[in-house]
Amino acid sequence: MIHRNRTGAAALAVLALLAGGCTQATGGVRGAPGAAGLRDPYFPKLGNGGYDVGHYALSLAYDPRTGRLDGTAEITARATQDLSAFNLDLAGLTVSAATVDGVPAAHHRAGNELTLRPREEIPEGAEFRATVRYAGVPEPITDADGSEEGWMRTDGGAIAVGEPQGSMSWFPGNHHPSDKAAYDITLTVPAGLDAFSNGVRTEQRTGADGRVTSVWHTAEPMASYLATVAIGRYETSTATAPGPDADEDGGSGGAGSDAGAVPVLTAAERPVAKASAPLRGEIPTILGRQAERFGPYPFSSAGAIVMTDGTLGYALETQTRPVFPAASFDRATLVHELAHQWFGDSVTPAGWQDLWLNEGFATYAEWLYAEEYEDVPARTRFETAFAQDANWAFPPAAPPSAENLFDPPVYQRGAMVLHKLRETVGDRVFDEILRGWPAKYRHANATTDDFTAYAESVSGKDLDALWDVWLYGDGKPARP
């Protein structure tokens, strides 16, 4: 990511029912409610306990004239405990009905928590399907740093982005990066508008009412903050990029190679389509170059969405199809967001404290690109970052609050950590770490401790001194 900036006895009875302790199910299961949050240090109420989501099927119909969104979310999950009730994160919007395995379930709202109590308790290990019908006018979420995210109206359409918590503004779910899932997103919009999301478009049809429906499939696990929707008038282009079978080494095989080719779909709003076309056309080449450094591209589709300026104030690495306002659609930012497909999207942080594993790596990917293709040594970029006081406000692995998650130390000092690692272990071992890390944790979650242990394992070195100064240290070293 490139960032900027009820009362009465009846109601009390419902609350008591939903928050109550263990109850006996007819099948002999003694369940308890799943936790209403995962106690993430920055977003303690985000995410939910008691289950693990495997798949989201979202059906969304949007009317840009009124801003109304009508949605159905079908969530397939597996219970990680005996469940009497469970929560979903959902901001705003009105829930009209909920079922669990096709049977009506009691539901209750308290702030951004939607609690569902199935008629029959769910035993640990059982797969279940929760369906929620909801509607309303989604409102953006303002983050601690003042930026807006979530579902945002544009001139004649909408854009939905979700880092770190905005996805709960447009669909109910387990909105913490530790619970990744596959997605199928069906979008219905008025005639004349286009609608895009993550992954591969598997169907597009026009109904008797003239509305257009498109279906998007994301097979690989995705954290909810990486889901996106873009609705408006767009121009598109298609190409192919090298996939995991492009060659034995995971290299490019050439941007036009058909071996293991990944479809690349880019979309740009019409006012910025022509100006953005040349750089959009470079995406297969950039992905090929990154595959040579980071290993095979981890997804079955790729691309980008470019918007007119005025709604979104930052670019975001939405999975397979990053989103850019036109003012941020430059080569360095494109390299950054595409690198996130390996670092952040495929290897996703276990919690928001580990965000430097996303941003430090993506920033260092910019430095590597400049070194290889623009003759600017990474050491030069390192020294420039070292000299900037803003990068020493706090350690990259310990942002002091949610407001600081996207501050310079997470990005620039995170990249400095990687450069010092490179200088300490040497280029050959560093390249092995750079390729091996996204391979070891492909489509999984990882922590900072996972990374430091991995780097030490590959290098055979005790790197505590490096981590103590550059990753966790409070002060600026005397020399770079």
Side-chain angles (χ1 to χ4, degrees):
M1 184 181 194
I2 297 289
H3 226 283
R4 69 311 106 210
N5 261 327
R6 289 181 270 243
T7 60
L12 291 173
V14 171
L15 287 168
L17 174 65
L18 290 167
C22 297
T23 57
Q24 186 72 31
T26 58
V29 173
R30 188 168 181 82
L38 295 181
R39 297 185 179 181
D40 185 285
Y42 303 99
F43 305 96
K45 294 183 179 180
L46 204 61
N48 305 281
Y51 64 93
D52 179 70
V53 180
H55 181 261
Y56 290 92
L58 307 178
S59 297
L60 309 173
Y62 184 62
D63 184 348
R65 296 171 302 172
T66 63
R68 179 182 172 91
L69 179 71
D70 289 89
T72 299
E74 189 177 90
I75 303 164
T76 303
R78 188 170 302 277
T80 59
Q81 66 176 64
D82 294 337
L83 275 178
S84 62
F86 58 92
N87 282 25
L88 300 167
D89 304 311
L90 182 65
L93 303 174
T94 300
V95 174
S96 59
T99 64
V100 175
D101 291 332
V103 179
H107 58 89
H108 172 73
R109 294 292 296 278
N112 295 334
E113 298 292 333
L114 169 63
T115 306
L116 270 60
R117 180 176 288 276
R119 187 172 297 177
E120 300 288 338
E121 295 180 358
I122 305 168
E124 181 179 358
E127 185 177 271
F128 63 95
R129 183 170 298 174
T131 302
V132 179
R133 301 184 188 280
Y134 58 99
V137 177
E139 295 291 338
I141 291 174
T142 300
D143 292 327
D145 63 1
S147 61
E148 286 193 338
E149 56 163 325
W151 188 283
M152 294 180 280
R153 298 178 71 171
T154 64
D155 185 13
I159 183 71
V161 293
E163 187 176 24
Q165 56 184 336
S167 295
M168 67 179 175
S169 73
W170 56 283
F171 70 95
N174 196 10
H175 291 296
H176 189 268
S178 60
D179 194 0
K180 301 168 70 171
Y183 281 71
D184 285 283
I185 301 179
T186 300
L187 305 172
T188 299
V189 298
L193 295 183
D194 303 297
F196 302 91
S197 189
N198 315 83
V200 177
R201 182 166 53 195
T202 60
E203 184 181 356
Q204 184 160 305
R205 61 184 183 270
T206 301
D209 58 0
R211 295 192 302 170
V212 178
T213 297
S214 58
V215 181
W216 299 83
H217 176 62
T218 299
E220 301 88 0
M222 177 168 70
S224 63
Y225 80 88
L226 297 169
T228 191
V229 169
I231 298 169
R233 290 176 170 83
Y234 285 81
E235 292 187 8
T236 63
S237 63
T238 59
T240 58
D245 301 323
D247 64 34
E248 187 177 2
D249 296 326
S252 68
S257 173
D258 291 329
V262 171
V264 178
L265 171 64
T266 69
E269 285 194 289
R270 292 178 183 176
V272 297
K274 184 176 181 180
S276 66
L279 187 54
R280 286 189 285 131
E282 292 186 29
I283 289 176
T285 299
I286 294 173
L287 286 175
R289 290 171 171 175
Q290 291 182 329
E292 293 173 357
R293 294 303 301 262
F294 311 146
Y297 178 72
F299 300 112
S300 53
S301 62
I305 296 169
V306 184
M307 304 174 53
T308 54
D309 295 320
T311 302
L312 197 62
Y314 49 89
L316 185 66
E317 64 271 19
T318 44
Q319 190 161 304
T320 70
R321 197 155 288 115
V323 176
F324 304 82
S328 297
F329 192 60
D330 53 63
R331 187 170 286 101
T333 308
L334 179 59
V335 166
H336 182 107
E337 305 304 342
L338 292 179
H340 271 308
Q341 305 307 303
W342 286 264
F343 307 108
D345 294 12
S346 179
V347 184
T348 303
W352 289 109
Q353 183 172 335
D354 304 305
L355 187 64
W356 83 275
L357 291 171
N358 296 16
E359 303 302 347
F361 270 95
T363 301
Y364 199 68
E366 293 182 60
W367 297 8
L368 288 173
Y369 189 92
E371 181 173 73
E372 294 179 49
Y373 305 107
E374 298 172 359
D375 297 323
V376 180
R379 180 71 192 187
T380 299
R381 301 290 292 268
F382 171 86
E383 291 174 353
T384 299
F386 182 88
Q388 296 171 349
D389 291 342
N391 292 327
W392 299 96
F394 56 84
S401 71
E403 184 179 356
N404 306 112
L405 279 177
F406 302 100
D407 282 359
V410 177
Y411 291 71
Q412 298 292 324
R413 190 170 162 190
M416 281 191 273
V417 171
L418 296 173
H419 191 75
K420 291 303 292 185
L421 175 62
R422 176 183 176 183
E423 292 185 335
T424 301
V425 304
D427 281 1
R428 183 190 62 79
V429 174
F430 181 74
D431 286 347
E432 185 178 350
I433 294 170
L434 205 58
R435 290 176 62 88
W437 171 249
K440 181 176 176 64
Y441 289 93
R442 182 180 176 93
H443 303 317
N445 294 89
T447 67
T448 295
D449 285 348
D450 290 327
F451 176 71
T452 57
Y454 179 78
E456 292 186 355
S457 174
V458 173
S459 68
K461 292 178 178 289
D462 181 340
L463 300 171
D464 282 354
L466 189 157
W467 311 134
D468 288 347
V469 173
W470 297 93
L471 186 55
Y472 295 108
D474 288 322
K476 180 179 180 179
R479 293 184 299 176

